[in-house]
Amino acid sequence: HVQLVESGGGPVQAGESLRLACTITGQSRNKYCLGWFRQIPGKEREGVAVIVGDGTTNYADSVKGRFAIALDNAKNTLYLAMNSLKPEDTAMYYCAAASGPLYHLRVVAHYLREPDFGFWGQGTQVTVS
């Protein structure tokens, strides 16, 4: 199993940048698909960005060109760099992991759906005003 702990959230002004971090402990990151999701009260959790151990990435259309996901294996940390933030980016952001064979993880990354991820962090709040 893998344990995930997010950090880096906070209040920011529209147009500013923020970088979220997710510390990963447990089994090898290369056996996992790691992603970021976000959720606002009353809405379903939305997939934001994902990265697979082979470097495959995928992004929600709403964040393409503004957000970037990266994995630092040496630091066991997943990052989400968020630029040009908008008020509609306000949400609780969660780090998540899915495990399985590489071909399965690539499918998971393509669809970026919450049910496919079995491991979750506690979340970090991002508020853009």
Side-chain angles (χ1 to χ4, degrees):
H1 292 297
V2 63
Q3 293 79 44
L4 309 168
V5 178
E6 304 95 334
S7 62
V12 294
Q13 297 293 315
E16 292 183 342
S17 299
L18 201 62
R19 189 177 73 162
L20 305 182
C22 175
T23 302
I24 306 159
T25 56
Q27 295 186 6
S28 170
R29 280 77 55 203
N30 290 333
K31 297 181 181 179
Y32 289 85
C33 172
L34 299 167
W36 289 96
F37 286 74
R38 64 187 181 186
Q39 186 174 28
I40 60 175
K43 294 288 185 70
E44 293 184 354
R45 202 166 289 187
E46 172 194 24
V48 175
V50 64
I51 186 167
V52 185
D54 65 351
T56 301
T57 60
N58 189 26
Y59 295 89
D61 289 341
S62 59
V63 306
K64 282 180 180 177
R66 298 190 299 123
F67 290 12
I69 191 170
L71 177 62
D72 187 329
N73 285 306
K75 296 183 177 180
N76 298 334
T77 303
L78 179 73
Y79 296 101
L80 183 67
M82 304 184 294
N83 301 306
S84 302
L85 282 162
K86 305 174 182 180
E88 50 264 44
D89 294 318
T90 295
M92 183 71 79
Y93 282 73
Y94 297 90
C95 179
S99 63
L102 183 57
Y103 72 89
H104 167 73
L105 297 180
R106 286 172 176 162
V107 173
V108 169
H110 175 75
Y111 289 104
L112 201 50
R113 297 176 303 195
E114 177 187 2
D116 292 329
F117 290 76
F119 306 97
W120 294 86
Q122 82 290 348
T124 185
Q125 177 68 37
V126 173
T127 303
V128 185
S129 59

